[in-house]
Amino acid sequence: MPDTIYRNFKQVADAESARAALLDAGFHGTAVQLNLHDARPITTTAAAVQNIMDSLTPDDVDTTDRPDRPAALLSVDVDNDIQREQANTIMLRYGGVEA
């Protein structure tokens, strides 16, 4: 059954490596799509709130005030369960997590 698998990556380089591995494994170039996540522009209001929150938790030891955001989204069109498993295994190898 045709379907599309989506995985987020923390690093663009990891997503690019996963894309290359998928192409090497025989997936067609038009079936593999890499999209970079754009950084959200910060507004004056958001900056003010962030500064207030940072002042309440001044230490940056555990980076809890800066959540990890994915850098890239990789999607793969698959035609069957075998391709789905193969694509999933490859993307997991490079750190892809479900979108």
Side-chain angles (χ1 to χ4, degrees):
M1 173 171 78
D3 196 11
T4 303
I5 299 172
Y6 300 92
R7 296 292 181 267
N8 277 309
F9 292 82
K10 289 183 180 180
Q11 302 292 325
V12 173
D14 293 339
E16 290 172 339
S17 295
R19 183 180 188 282
L22 288 162
L23 296 176
D24 288 344
F27 286 89
H28 195 273
T30 59
V32 182
Q33 181 74 33
L34 175 64
N35 295 300
L36 303 180
H37 291 296
D38 294 327
R40 295 179 186 160
I42 191 157
T43 64
T44 305
T45 304
V49 170
Q50 183 176 354
N51 288 336
I52 292 169
M53 296 306 291
D54 287 346
S55 71
L56 296 174
T57 56
D59 67 323
D60 197 11
V61 174
D62 60 0
T63 66
T64 54
D65 54 346
R66 291 193 184 107
D68 289 336
R69 291 201 173 112
L73 177 72
L74 188 61
S75 62
V76 184
D77 297 329
V78 296
D79 293 326
N80 54 50
D81 289 338
I82 294 170
Q83 283 187 341
R84 178 189 324 281
E85 184 63 32
Q86 184 182 21
N88 188 50
T89 300
I90 290 170
M91 290 192 287
L92 284 174
R93 186 181 322 141
Y94 291 94
V97 295
E98 287 193 40

